[in-house]
Amino acid sequence: MSKSYNIAVMGGDGTGPEVIAEGLKVLNAAASKYDVKLNLTKYDFGGERYMKTGELLPESGIEELKKQDAIYLGAIGHPEVKPGILELGILLRLRFALDQYINLRPVKLYPNVETPLKDKGPEQIDFVVVRENTGGIYTGIGGAAQKGTPNEVATQVMVYTRPIVDRCIKYAYELTKKRNSKKKMLTLVHKCNVLTHCGDLWVRAHKEMGDKYYKDIKQDYAHVDATTMWFVKNPEFFDVIVTENLFGDIITDLGAMIQGGMGIAAGGNINPEGVSMFEPIGGSAPKYTGKNVINPLAAINAGAMMMETLGEVKMAKTIDDAVTAVLASGKIKSMSAGKMGLSTSEVGDLIAEAVSGK
Ligand code: IPM
Ligand code: MN
């Protein structure tokens, strides 16, 4: 009997719908190969809907999304909406409402993809960042006083509890255990020399869980500032990184750059016990909207990650192998929008054909 999955499709803003269309093309090709059925439901949450109706993400929308198996998201962000409104009201709202406490961001350089790092290739750039996704400064706890006066005060607090840290570290250890890498090393990234409370909590949680349950996994620690240096100097050192929310946000933009740019970087907002959401991490790229020039590979990779998380490991691998093969063929000239030498839909066609084995 064929397996079926209910997928919420949220193209969102800008180039989001274009790249999601290519992702779906590839997912459908892979689904028919593995006798998997994808029941797609489209949602129009995003900047356009907000401008028309004033509505961001209604409670009823969240309740509907909770009933899906996964969410496939294009991009949120509209040039005519004040920065922060859509990001907080839709993207962060969903991460919190669905308790997607892991943000999984692989940093993998595919063959023939240009990295700005001299003398580094696919062998050297292949690690994963596990970013904590519902705590830290992103909880929004804090406040402001005497706004607009010379003595204005503002605070935004880094909030962590032991259970929130533990569940994230557990996910990261499990991933390190099952990941196909010889290093078997989990690096905790923090700033414990300055953040003596939150840093200390993460350091002890990482060590205690590793000592007790994951003796075969090497424990490693790096300060976040030094990590940005290692990403450039010695990316081959890393296997799996686990880090708190804001540090993870920052280092994964650098990670995306060393793997060839936003055109290829995918991420998953994961609730291992609930509904997860997958997205290309590059944003809505308004200036390329509707031009058929944006790179859909990040969205395609996000689709593969979605299927892997749903348990369709073979299907995910087939997509990843197709991406690798097409890139190795040299048919895609660059990862940058407008420079691929092919259109968005042509890249989607190539990957879908490689998936089908045509
Ligand atoms: C990301 C983004 C978001 C974040 C923004 C848009 C709220 O930068 O997914 O990395 O900070 O998490
Ligand atoms: Mn970010």
Side-chain angles (χ1 to χ4, degrees):
M1 212 186 77
S2 71
K3 270 201 169 173
S4 81
Y5 298 97
N6 297 324
I7 310 285
V9 178
M10 281 174 59
D13 300 318
T15 51
E18 291 169 59
V19 294
I20 287 301
E22 299 314 310
L24 289 174
K25 197 188 271 177
V26 172
L27 283 169
N28 283 324
S32 60
K33 190 163 180 166
Y34 289 100
D35 200 19
V36 163
K37 193 167 176 323
L38 301 175
N39 305 316
L40 309 175
T41 310
K42 288 205 169 163
Y43 290 88
D44 66 351
F45 303 122
E48 290 295 330
R49 178 183 167 129
Y50 172 68
M51 286 194 308
K52 259 188 245 139
T53 67
E55 196 166 59
L56 287 160
L57 187 59
E59 205 53 52
S60 59
I62 292 187
E63 289 313 310
E64 277 187 46
L65 292 170
K66 277 185 183 166
K67 292 185 201 131
Q68 302 280 349
D69 292 314
I71 304 166
Y72 192 33
L73 170 68
I76 297 293
H78 196 288
E80 285 153 55
V81 180
K82 206 173 125 213
I85 294 180
L86 301 170
E87 292 86 339
L88 255 76
I90 300 178
L91 186 63
L92 296 186
R93 176 115 164 75
L94 273 175
R95 287 179 185 170
F96 281 88
L98 302 179
D99 202 17
Q100 293 162 340
Y101 61 87
I102 299 296
N103 195 321
L104 189 65
R105 296 192 168 176
V107 179
K108 171 174 166 170
L109 182 66
Y110 285 87
N112 268 331
V113 173
E114 200 181 337
T115 172
L117 301 187
K118 195 166 154 273
D119 302 329
K120 304 288 179 194
E123 293 270 290
Q124 285 79 32
I125 302 173
D126 186 7
F127 59 91
V128 184
V129 179
V130 175
R131 162 185 173 190
E132 199 290 320
N133 211 30
T134 55
I137 291 172
Y138 279 73
T139 50
I141 290 179
Q146 300 182 58
K147 217 169 178 169
T149 74
N151 296 323
E152 180 165 348
V153 186
T155 64
Q156 202 113 31
V157 187
M158 181 180 278
V159 185
Y160 273 107
T161 64
R162 183 72 191 235
I164 284 187
V165 173
D166 273 343
R167 66 181 184 175
C168 177
I169 290 182
K170 178 171 179 236
Y171 182 91
Y173 269 118
E174 288 295 328
L175 179 71
T176 314
K177 192 159 96 177
K178 75 165 199 235
R179 199 172 121 84
N180 189 15
S181 129
K182 288 193 198 84
K183 294 173 206 145
K184 293 278 168 255
M185 179 175 77
L186 180 62
T187 303
L188 169 65
V189 167
H190 214 290
K191 183 76 187 172
C192 66
N193 52 348
V194 176
L195 302 183
T196 47
H197 306 302
C198 280
D200 180 56
L201 171 57
W202 278 85
V203 166
R204 278 181 293 111
H206 175 248
K207 181 173 187 322
E208 285 167 20
M209 194 179 293
D211 288 353
K212 199 161 173 195
Y213 300 108
Y214 301 96
K215 291 202 176 62
D216 296 339
I217 294 174
K218 198 170 156 212
Q219 296 174 24
D220 176 50
Y221 173 87
H223 292 321
V224 62
D225 48 349
T227 301
T228 61
M229 182 176 78
W230 299 128
F231 270 22
V232 175
K233 197 168 179 284
N234 297 104
E236 62 275 17
F237 178 76
F238 295 108
D239 183 5
V240 178
I241 288 174
V242 64
T243 191
E244 72 86 39
N245 207 341
L246 182 63
F247 292 159
D249 177 46
I250 296 168
I251 65 171
T252 53
D253 266 23
L254 180 56
M257 280 302 120
I258 67 172
Q259 72 176 119
M262 289 299 184
I264 194 158
N269 300 276
I270 295 177
N271 176 342
E273 296 87 32
V275 183
S276 302
M277 173 166 76
F278 300 84
E279 52 172 343
I281 69 177
S284 57
K287 70 175 178 184
Y288 297 117
T289 304
K291 298 204 160 83
N292 203 14
V293 295
I294 195 83
N295 189 342
L297 288 176
I300 291 169
N301 285 346
M305 206 192 241
M306 174 165 78
M307 296 322 297
E308 177 164 9
T309 307
L310 288 170
E312 295 298 332
V313 179
K314 274 194 201 150
M315 191 174 155
K317 183 161 186 312
T318 300
I319 298 173
D320 191 61
D321 288 349
V323 169
T324 308
V326 170
L327 285 168
S329 76
K331 285 183 190 146
I332 307 174
K333 301 291 169 226
S334 159
M335 292 302 104
S336 306
K339 297 186 183 150
M340 297 188 291
L342 294 169
S343 66
T344 305
S345 45
E346 282 169 335
V347 172
D349 288 342
L350 277 181
I351 309 290
E353 281 162 21
V355 162
S356 314
K358 278 183 205 146

